[in-house]
Amino acid sequence: ISRFRSTSAKDPSQHTFSAHLKDEAYAAIERFAEEKDISVSEFIRRALLERLEDEEDIRAADKAMAAYR
């Protein structure tokens, strides 16, 4: 499990933030969340955590490539 994954929704170390989205973007998020039968918040949480994991993988790959050269 990634270090970014949350273990509890009631974890006091969790933080809340807000973002401003155009109607079209929010509607798209709502559609995707509904298709997955999850809340908009859960959809956004998962998307952000996946992106963080991807960025870590990219950094690790870049570091490995630099060391290889």
Side-chain angles (χ1 to χ4, degrees):
I1 294 181
S2 166
R3 70 185 181 104
F4 294 119
R5 296 288 180 213
S6 176
T7 57
S8 169
K10 296 183 183 201
D11 182 346
S13 67
Q14 290 193 25
H15 302 275
T16 301
F17 72 94
S18 64
H20 297 270
L21 300 171
K22 299 243 181 212
D23 289 341
E24 299 82 20
Y26 189 80
I29 291 169
E30 281 184 311
R31 282 193 306 275
F32 282 111
E34 187 174 309
E35 287 174 13
K36 296 184 175 294
D37 196 31
I38 58 176
S39 68
V40 167
S41 293
E42 182 62 21
F43 178 84
I44 293 170
R45 183 180 304 106
R46 289 179 186 182
L48 288 172
L49 293 175
E50 281 183 32
R51 179 59 187 256
L52 285 170
E53 290 174 357
D54 291 348
E55 290 296 328
E56 278 199 334
D57 291 344
I58 290 167
R59 284 183 181 180
D62 288 346
K63 187 176 179 180
M65 286 296 290
Y68 177 75
R69 292 180 186 168

